[in-house]
Amino acid sequence: MTSLLRIELRKLLPYSTFWVLLVLQCFLLFIFFYARGNVMVNGQMAGAELYQFPKLWMHLAYVSSFLNLIPGILIIILISDEYAFRTLRQQVIDGFSRANLVQAKYSVILLLAALLALYVVFLGLGFGLYHRQDTGNDTSMFSNVQAIFYYLVQLVGYMSLAMFIAFLVRKTGLAIMLFMAYTLVVERLIQWKTPDQIDQYFPMKTLGALTPNPHAEVEQLMLGVTETLSPLQALAPAILYVTLFCFLSYQLLRSRDL
Amino acid sequence: MADILDIQGLSKRYGAVQALDQLTIKVPEGSIYGLLGPNGSGKTTTLGIVLDVINASAGTYQWFGQPTSKSTKRRIGALLETPNFYPYLTGEENLRITADVKRVDHARIPGVLQTVGLAHRRGDKFKGYSLGMKQRLAIGAALLGDPEVLVLDEPTNGLDPEGIAEVRQLIISIAAQGKTIILASHLLDEVEKVCTHMAVLRSGKLKAQGPVSSIMAAHDLVFISGGAPLDTLLQIARTLPFVTEARPVNQQLQLTLRPETDSSELNRAFFSQGIALGQLVVRKKSLESQFLEIIKADSV
């Protein structure tokens, strides 16, 4: 797997599209978290409360989860490029198996998720330390940091879905549209007509449950109570979905001509 | 000699189109095997299947007597249809990826670039290459693992006459090292000049196969005249068992002999009938007319 990742890095590092999207994602994460803390609520900066450890990690994971489409789009571009350049085909001729193709892209997904999660941790430390109030109660900075781990799993989930869609439709534009349509619209429409007990296990809802809104009570007051899984409960089904998307990608590659 | 590639009853169907129909061929070790056919005859489909990127509808194939695997792939260097590289990477960076996929030492890259004449352009991006340079880089990539077998699909596509001559020279010099080469082409000339064996495909069906010399010799035409009136010659010729076809053409008699019949046998037969032929000319058909005949056969 590491040798596969090394090959992927040879393609990625000189690729400007990769850097543009990565920098954009990092920039937007910063802006989102900054903006959310600077909203005035009742003449008071929301940030003061938002940026306090250990609650900060949950807020950060929740805010960051709004930006999961960009890494997904990046994965779609990377895979549909390989179809456009016919390099998947060449790599199979040169010695890769179909499974290697999926493993290679999955290794990129893991790397990206890890990088973004790490970046978000640093972002949290930065904001947290900058806004730290000396309240005396010395809770550890890193309690509740597992929220970022759930965010990492969520990223892997979004990107695995993107990978599957890219392998399925092979065209960049179409894949991006399908990815956005499913994540933003289609599943919500299906959820609307499905009882909560069932739709809480739908892919997007499961992944969403990994980073719950820290103000869930307020949201439920306005939108009505819906049943969702806790992050811990959502972990197993989320990992199951990731496995499923990888397996389906592999089956697609096996059954079709390259 | 062992067979490098053994294809048994390979078929491929795309919807209503039968792209390949029960193809069975064997590629002997050390041969330069030409896969000849017009566009759409199934050459690329055949190579795509044996290179593991197209799934066959039916049939089997074996490389070196074993089913395809990572280890067989490393003994093969292949260029299928188009040069497939990352446009935003340089020629050298692209070859590094190929080398990693093939698990070949990067130390081989400069030598390969030299061989295909791209050493001075190694730092330029692939998208800036001309079609000929792209093709040469692809041949270079195929040579990277020092493979026992080279599979080349239309290797001279897009090359200028000089480039074509260079690639042919390259193929012949690689073959001289005892390597097997499988070459798909719609250019008869190319196959005639380079190949030792060939298979002719039309609409996915095998039309002829064997050593190039035997396919060429199989249908030689013999023209005879003199020694006796044309009618007499015709009558005698039609009684001979090894003459498959006889007809008068321009004051001469045009005969088609059975494969592997010597023209001296013909002369002897007439002499024993008391006729000394005035003229006996063997005209080898050019591969081109041969080819057209093969692909036209039972196309009606």
Side-chain angles (χ1 to χ4, degrees):
Chain A
M1 195 96 162
T2 49
S3 74
L4 289 177
L5 184 60
R6 200 171 58 232
I7 295 173
E8 292 300 310
L9 286 176
R10 283 193 195 285
K11 308 173 194 171
L12 276 183
L13 297 181
Y15 196 22
S16 50
T17 308
F18 167 74
W19 289 110
V20 168
L21 284 180
L22 196 63
V23 168
L24 177 74
Q25 171 76 2
C26 290
F27 178 71
L28 286 177
L29 282 170
F30 174 82
I31 292 291
F32 261 51
F33 197 49
Y34 177 80
R36 194 173 163 89
N38 283 277
V39 176
M40 295 296 228
V41 180
N42 299 332
Q44 227 189 346
M45 284 254 291
E49 185 249 351
L50 193 72
Y51 296 142
Q52 298 308 308
F53 295 118
K55 191 105 179 157
L56 168 138
W57 298 118
M58 279 179 75
H59 280 288
L60 189 57
Y62 177 67
V63 171
S64 303
S65 72
F66 281 93
L67 289 165
N68 287 343
L69 289 185
I70 295 174
I73 289 171
L74 177 58
I75 291 295
I76 287 176
I77 291 174
L78 294 179
I79 292 172
S80 51
D81 267 357
E82 303 256 13
Y83 278 106
F85 306 152
R86 306 185 104 176
T87 37
L88 285 184
R89 167 185 244 207
Q90 193 62 46
Q91 276 150 27
V92 168
I93 290 175
D94 289 341
F96 271 8
S97 64
R98 307 291 205 269
N100 288 151
L101 298 179
V102 179
Q103 286 161 355
K105 289 297 173 249
Y106 186 64
S107 71
V108 173
I109 290 177
L110 289 184
L111 177 76
L112 269 176
L115 279 178
L116 287 173
L118 196 67
Y119 172 76
V120 165
V121 167
F122 280 115
L123 208 60
L125 285 177
F127 275 98
L129 292 173
Y130 185 77
H131 292 276
R132 195 166 204 187
Q133 293 160 345
D134 229 353
T135 49
N137 67 345
D138 209 22
T139 47
S140 165
M141 281 196 325
F142 290 107
S143 65
N144 278 339
V145 79
Q146 72 271 18
I148 303 301
F149 168 72
Y150 291 125
Y151 167 64
L152 185 145
V153 176
Q154 187 185 53
L155 271 172
V156 173
Y158 266 77
M159 287 190 278
S160 303
L161 173 66
M163 170 173 82
F164 168 63
I165 291 176
F167 278 126
L168 181 69
V169 302
R170 295 179 271 196
K171 303 263 188 297
T172 318
L174 198 61
I176 291 175
M177 271 165 53
L178 195 64
F179 177 60
M180 290 177 61
Y182 183 77
T183 51
L184 299 177
V185 184
V186 176
E187 191 181 301
R188 270 170 220 195
L189 287 179
I190 306 172
Q191 282 170 9
W192 185 42
K193 288 287 177 200
T194 316
D196 278 351
Q197 292 95 316
I198 299 168
D199 78 16
Q200 61 184 340
Y201 291 107
F202 281 11
M204 287 304 113
K205 206 160 182 185
T206 305
L207 292 177
L210 288 167
T211 55
N213 186 347
H215 300 301
E217 313 81 44
V218 184
E219 189 184 83
Q220 298 213 338
L221 215 61
M222 292 190 292
L223 299 172
V225 180
T226 59
E227 240 176 279
T228 45
L229 300 169
S230 74
L232 192 61
Q233 286 171 326
L235 198 58
I239 290 170
L240 212 63
Y241 274 120
V242 170
T243 316
L244 180 71
F245 294 141
C246 290
F247 179 73
L248 289 177
S249 302
Y250 170 66
Q251 285 301 327
L252 272 176
L253 283 171
R254 242 175 52 134
S255 62
R256 292 201 297 208
D257 297 338
L258 276 171
Chain B
M1 267 195 298
D3 287 320
I4 289 288
L5 172 63
D6 183 0
I7 298 178
Q8 293 290 341
L10 217 53
S11 297
K12 175 69 180 178
R13 177 174 278 283
Y14 292 106
V17 182
Q18 188 76 42
L20 202 60
D21 192 8
Q22 296 283 321
L23 179 72
T24 298
I25 53 176
K26 285 174 195 287
V27 177
E29 190 179 348
S31 63
I32 308 185
Y33 201 100
L35 213 51
L36 188 61
N39 293 328
S41 57
K43 302 184 298 282
T44 299
T45 303
T46 307
L47 295 183
I49 292 171
V50 299
L51 291 174
D52 191 31
V53 295
I54 297 175
N55 298 318
S57 310
T60 57
Y61 62 92
Q62 288 199 319
W63 285 101
F64 317 103
Q66 35 188 298
T68 189
S69 68
K70 286 190 177 191
S71 66
T72 64
K73 283 181 185 179
R74 292 207 181 96
R75 297 164 70 181
I76 303 166
L79 152 61
L80 188 64
E81 259 182 309
T82 46
N84 305 323
F85 293 103
Y86 297 90
Y88 57 86
L89 297 181
T90 67
E92 194 172 19
E93 285 169 337
N94 269 303
L95 287 191
R96 281 196 202 122
I97 291 177
T98 310
D100 281 351
V101 174
K102 291 189 175 196
R103 307 216 177 141
V104 174
D105 194 349
H106 287 196
R108 273 191 58 83
I109 293 174
V112 161
L113 283 167
Q114 199 73 47
T115 309
V116 296
L118 284 173
H120 63 295
R121 295 294 298 271
R122 67 176 191 276
D124 292 345
K125 294 210 186 311
F126 176 74
K127 63 182 167 202
Y129 283 8
S130 70
L131 194 52
M133 293 165 76
K134 288 178 178 173
Q135 198 76 8
R136 291 214 297 269
L137 187 67
I139 295 173
L143 289 173
L144 256 186
D146 196 17
E148 295 161 50
V149 188
L150 211 51
V151 180
L152 302 172
D153 186 10
E154 313 270 1
T156 55
N157 242 3
L159 297 182
D160 52 21
E162 197 188 351
I164 292 176
E166 274 172 24
V167 166
R168 278 191 194 147
Q169 207 46 56
L170 192 63
I171 291 172
I172 291 169
S173 70
I174 292 164
Q177 299 164 24
K179 295 181 195 297
T180 308
I181 295 173
I182 302 172
L183 178 80
S185 180
H186 61 268
L187 302 172
L188 311 150
D189 180 51
E190 188 159 272
V191 171
E192 194 176 16
K193 282 195 175 127
V194 173
C195 296
T196 60
H197 293 66
M198 63 185 263
V200 182
L201 290 177
R202 190 184 63 87
S203 310
K205 288 198 176 67
L206 184 65
K207 289 293 165 190
Q209 71 155 327
V212 169
S213 56
S214 85
I215 290 190
M216 303 248 302
H219 301 283
D220 286 347
L221 293 178
V222 181
F223 293 87
I224 56 172
S225 63
L230 214 53
D231 288 346
T232 321
L233 292 181
L234 186 61
Q235 273 173 5
I236 295 170
R238 286 195 169 145
T239 62
L240 297 175
F242 50 82
V243 174
T244 54
E245 197 196 349
R247 57 191 169 113
V249 177
N250 296 335
Q251 307 304 313
Q252 286 186 321
L253 202 59
Q254 179 194 301
L255 305 176
T256 310
L257 304 186
R258 242 178 232 296
E260 283 148 48
T261 312
D262 201 343
S263 54
S264 61
E265 222 169 302
L266 183 72
N267 202 1
R268 213 173 294 131
F270 275 98
F271 202 74
S272 68
Q273 303 266 350
I275 295 170
L277 294 171
Q279 200 186 2
L280 188 154
V281 178
V282 180
R283 192 177 297 163
K284 284 205 179 269
K285 277 189 193 172
S286 76
L287 193 56
E288 180 134 19
S289 59
Q290 192 72 41
F291 172 68
L292 290 174
E293 210 157 274
I294 291 170
I295 63 169
K296 267 186 211 142
D298 55 55
S299 68
V300 201

